[in-house]
Amino acid sequence: MSSIAKAIGPISYSQTSHNNVKLLRAGNEFFGKLLDLIEQAKHIIYFQIYIFEDDETGKQVADALMKAARRGVKIYMLVDGYASQSLPAEFIKNLQRSGIKFRKFEPIFRSKSYYFGRRLHHKVMVFDSCSALVGGINISNNYSDEFDKPAWLDWAVSVKGEAAAQLEEVCRIKAEKAGYRISVLKPARLKFKMPDEVCKVKISINDWINRKAEITQSYLRMFDEAQSYIYIMSPYFIPGRELTKALLAAANRGVVIKLILPGISDVQMAKHAERYMYRKLFRHNIHIYEYQPKVLHGKLATYDGKWTTVGSYNVNNISAYASIELNLEIHNEVFAADVEKRLNRIIENDCIKLNEEDYLRKLNLFKLFVQRSSYDISRLLLFLFTFYFKQKE
C-alpha cells in the first residue's frame, strides 16, 4: 500500500461478518424497501438525511414515519440544516406533533460575524438495530419513479445484521451530539436473529472535523490493490491531488479503469470542471462513459470482482474534506458480481463512450476556458462550503 493510503489513519468500526445485503436502485426498489421497513419497525428508527423535500415523495415518507411514531416507535430524525432549509415550519410541526424527534444539523461554530460548518451529507436510516439503508438517495421526487418521470440514477444498500447495529451506534452518537437525550433499548438488548450467510461489511466515514478520512483511504487502497479492473460511478468526479495520483498510477500499471459519469448534471459548473480533466484521463487510457437518460447521482466503486463501496461519498474534495459522509465497504464476490452486471448493463444501454479524438475535435478555446474556470472555481468551493464570512453589520 502506498504511503498516501497509510497516512490517512485508522478506521474506527471493525468489519462485520454476518450480514444480508442488497443493492437498491433509486425509485421503486429503494422507496418500496424504505416504506416496508418503516411499517415493520417496532421499537426505534434513526433517520439521518441530507435533503428532505416537502413534495409528494417527502409527504409519503413523512406520513409513514408519523404513522409509526403514533403506534409507539421512537423516531430520531436529523436533516441537514442547509440542504433541507426549505422544509415548511408546518411540515416540521406535524412531524413533531406525531412524536417524531426532529432536529436540523447546523454548523459547528456560529456567531453574528461568521459561521464555520460542514454538511450532514450522509444518508443513513436504521430500524430496530437490525436493518438499515445506506446510500446517496435523498427524500425527493427526483429519486422517485412516480410522477411521470424516471428517477435520477442513484443507489443504496439494504443491510440486515451486525453492520446495522454498528450503524445505529453511528446515528445515535450523531443524534446525541445534535442535542437529543436518548433513552431507548440498546442494540444488544433488542433480540433479533442474525443472518446465517457470511457477507463482510465495513462502515467507512469521512468527517474532517473528527479527523476521519476512511472513505478516501478505501479509494486509495482500491487504486493500490486493483490488479485487473476498476469501475467508478460518480456524479461530480473532480478528485484531489492524492486521489488523482493514485488513479493514474493504477491505470499506468495496466488496470482497466471505467468511469461512469453524468452526461446530464444537476450542477452544470461541476460538469464543466469534470470535463476539464478528460484530456488527462484519456492520456492514461482511462475509459469514460457518460450516462444519458437522466441526472446521474450514484456514488459507488468496485474492483476485481471482490470489493464494493456504496454510499454518499463523491470523488472530490468537498466529500474528502468538507462534508460528513458514510459508505459501506462490502467484501463479497456475489455482491460485486451483481454490481458489475448492473453497471455493464448501464454502460451498454444508457451511456455514450467518449472517444478522445472526437472529444478533442469538438473542444474549442471557449469550451476550454469555461472548463478551466469551472475547475478552478470548484476547487475554491471547498472553502465556500466550510468557511463563510459575513460582513459585520
Side-chain angles (χ1 to χ4, degrees):
M1 185 180 297
S2 72
S3 59
I4 298 172
K6 291 179 181 177
I8 297 299
I11 295 177
S12 302
Y13 287 90
S14 60
Q15 180 175 270
T16 59
S17 296
H18 292 282
N19 300 285
N20 176 276
V21 298
K22 184 178 180 181
L23 184 67
L24 303 174
R25 184 166 173 160
N28 293 332
E29 276 188 9
F30 173 77
F31 284 106
K33 183 66 174 179
L34 171 60
L35 293 173
D36 284 346
L37 287 171
I38 294 172
E39 184 178 353
Q40 295 163 13
K42 297 179 179 178
H43 303 287
I44 182 169
I45 297 173
Y46 288 93
F47 201 104
Q48 300 187 358
I49 198 79
Y50 184 58
I51 296 173
F52 200 117
E53 291 194 351
D54 177 30
D55 55 15
E56 291 89 348
T57 300
K59 288 173 182 174
Q60 184 182 34
V61 174
D63 287 344
L65 288 168
M66 290 189 288
K67 185 177 178 180
R70 292 188 187 106
R71 68 173 185 265
V73 179
K74 294 181 181 294
I75 301 176
Y76 295 90
M77 193 169 179
L78 187 63
V79 305
D80 184 73
Y82 170 75
S84 298
Q85 62 184 308
S86 63
L87 273 180
E90 188 61 28
F91 186 92
I92 295 170
K93 287 179 181 177
N94 286 337
L95 294 173
Q96 294 171 329
R97 289 187 191 113
S98 73
I100 294 172
K101 308 296 184 183
F102 178 95
R103 287 185 185 271
K104 290 183 178 179
F105 181 87
E106 300 289 0
I108 299 210
F109 305 113
R110 179 167 54 182
S111 74
K112 291 182 178 180
S113 60
Y114 78 96
Y115 73 75
F116 170 86
R118 4 165 230 178
R119 304 299 176 216
L120 182 73
H121 194 245
H122 75 207
K123 295 89 177 171
V124 186
M125 302 140 215
V126 187
F127 308 85
D128 290 344
S129 309
C130 61
S131 298
L133 296 171
V134 171
I137 302 171
N138 292 295
I139 307 303
S140 163
N141 283 353
N142 288 329
Y143 304 86
S144 173
D145 287 327
E146 305 295 332
F147 320 115
D148 300 323
K149 60 178 183 178
W152 290 5
L153 177 56
D154 209 336
W155 308 99
V157 174
S158 168
V159 56
K160 184 173 184 179
E162 294 173 321
Q166 287 188 341
L167 287 164
E168 181 176 82
E169 182 182 354
V170 172
C171 289
R172 178 179 57 79
I173 292 170
K174 192 66 63 183
E176 289 176 342
K177 286 184 177 180
Y180 287 121
R181 296 185 64 184
I182 299 175
S183 56
V184 297
L185 294 174
K186 300 295 183 183
R189 294 172 61 192
L190 291 176
K191 302 298 182 183
F192 61 91
K193 187 179 184 300
M194 285 290 178
D196 293 327
E197 62 262 45
V198 174
C199 179
K200 296 178 180 179
V201 177
K202 194 171 188 308
I203 297 169
S204 53
I205 297 170
N206 261 50
D207 183 355
W208 69 288
I209 289 291
N210 290 311
R211 303 177 64 84
K212 290 188 177 184
E214 299 161 357
I215 310 174
T216 303
Q217 182 188 34
S218 73
Y219 271 83
L220 290 167
R221 187 168 59 247
M222 173 178 69
F223 295 142
D224 280 344
E225 296 179 356
Q227 297 298 315
S228 299
Y229 58 87
I230 296 170
Y231 291 80
I232 298 173
M233 176 181 284
S234 181
Y236 317 109
F237 186 79
I238 315 170
R241 206 168 287 171
E242 293 177 323
L243 284 171
T244 299
K245 180 179 178 181
L247 170 73
L248 299 182
N252 290 342
R253 67 172 188 271
V255 177
V256 176
I257 299 175
K258 297 183 178 183
L259 301 179
I260 306 174
L261 307 177
I264 304 168
S265 178
D266 60 321
V267 183
Q268 198 57 44
M269 188 182 70
K271 186 66 237 182
H272 290 313
E274 190 174 78
R275 285 179 174 148
Y276 178 71
M277 298 190 63
Y278 282 6
R279 291 176 301 156
K280 179 183 289 188
L281 299 173
F282 283 136
R283 287 198 299 270
H284 293 269
N285 298 314
I286 292 173
H287 303 266
I288 302 172
Y289 303 87
E290 287 192 345
Y291 179 75
Q292 299 299 309
K294 290 292 290 183
V295 171
L296 184 153
H297 197 256
K299 315 145 200 310
L300 61 77
T302 188
Y303 78 96
D304 290 355
K306 61 182 180 180
W307 179 93
T308 308
T309 182
V310 185
S312 64
Y313 181 89
N314 295 304
V315 185
N316 59 38
N317 277 345
I318 299 296
S319 280
Y321 298 111
S323 299
I324 298 172
E325 311 283 4
L326 190 146
N327 277 31
L328 293 183
E329 297 180 42
I330 300 161
H331 301 248
N332 184 272
E333 293 180 359
V334 174
F335 186 85
D338 179 52
V339 171
E340 285 181 31
K341 183 178 179 180
R342 289 185 182 231
L343 294 182
N344 281 324
R345 189 182 305 129
I346 288 168
I347 286 172
E348 181 178 351
N349 297 329
D350 300 323
C351 291
I352 293 175
K353 183 178 182 181
L354 299 191
N355 175 281
E356 180 179 10
E357 183 178 346
D358 291 341
Y359 177 77
L360 293 177
R361 186 170 59 249
K362 295 175 183 178
L363 189 65
N364 55 44
L365 287 177
F366 177 73
K367 286 183 179 179
L368 186 60
F369 171 77
V370 171
Q371 291 175 4
R372 177 57 193 262
S373 300
S374 299
Y375 180 79
D376 290 338
I377 292 171
S378 71
R379 295 176 69 84
L380 291 175
L381 281 178
L382 167 64
F383 302 100
L384 296 178
F385 266 77
T386 53
F387 297 92
Y388 175 69
F389 295 90
K390 295 181 179 178
Q391 297 204 359
K392 294 182 180 180
E393 297 178 356

